[in-house]
């Protein structure tokens, strides 16, 4: 915990500072949600194909980034909202404006009570 997943359009591969974003996001998660630094894990998933509305996906005029943060239950709605806003601000800082329309979103949710993990 926390389990962080970042889905993003492939067109952003060179414009998205993923390393800097992950470091800043982990710091924000520790400060806002009282997570332990060593517990923060982020996985980036690049999508080669992004469609937006009725536009031709081949034109690549739009890009999407969606961040999902799964936390153990117990954080207040206010804490979750503050973390979500921090995520959006960090995306503004770590995704360069390369001429595409960026659609950025984030959500913080509670992990299901069935959540388990192991480490080797």
């Amino acid at each position: 915990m926390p389990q962080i997943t970042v889905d993003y359009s492939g067109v952003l591969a060179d414009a998205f500072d993923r390393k800097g974003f992950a470091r800043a996001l982990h710091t924000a998660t520790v400060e806002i949600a009282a997570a332990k630094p060593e517990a923060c894990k982020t996985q980036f998933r690049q999508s080669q194909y992004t469609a937006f509305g009725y536009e031709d996906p081949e034109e690549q005029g739009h890009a999407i980034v969606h961040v999902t943060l799964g936390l153990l239950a117990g954080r207040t709605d206010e804490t979750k909202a503050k973390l979500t806003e921090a995520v959006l601000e960090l995306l503004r800082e770590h995704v360069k404006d390369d001429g595409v329309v960026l659609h950025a979103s984030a959500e913080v949710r509670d992990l299901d009570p069935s959540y388990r993990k192991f480490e080797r």
Side-chain angles (χ1 to χ4, degrees):
M1 185 288 305
Q3 296 293 333
I4 305 167
T5 306
V6 181
D7 294 299
Y8 67 98
S9 300
V11 69
L12 295 175
D14 294 331
F16 190 4
D17 174 13
R18 294 176 296 283
K19 183 176 180 180
F21 176 76
R23 285 184 178 172
L25 179 56
H26 293 177
T27 298
T29 304
V30 168
E31 292 173 358
I32 296 168
K36 294 180 181 175
E38 64 275 10
C40 295
K41 297 171 284 300
T42 299
Q43 178 174 299
F44 291 88
R45 300 186 299 200
Q46 180 179 340
S47 173
Q48 294 304 317
Y49 187 83
T50 299
F52 181 80
Y54 294 119
E55 294 186 15
D56 181 355
E58 301 301 320
E59 291 181 19
Q60 305 229 352
H62 295 266
I64 298 169
V65 177
H66 180 71
V67 181
T68 304
L69 291 98
L71 302 174
L72 292 175
R75 273 56 174 213
T76 65
D77 288 342
E78 181 181 84
T79 297
K80 293 175 189 176
K82 185 175 180 181
L83 185 54
T84 301
E85 289 300 325
V87 171
L88 295 177
E89 184 57 37
L90 290 172
L91 287 172
R92 287 182 188 95
E93 296 171 12
H94 290 89
V95 179
K96 289 187 275 186
D97 184 356
D98 64 350
V100 298
V101 178
L102 177 62
H103 303 272
S105 57
E107 67 175 310
V108 176
R109 60 176 180 78
D110 290 341
L111 292 168
D112 190 84
S114 67
Y115 173 79
R116 302 289 186 273
K117 69 174 189 166
F118 81 91
E119 296 177 25
R120 285 192 184 169

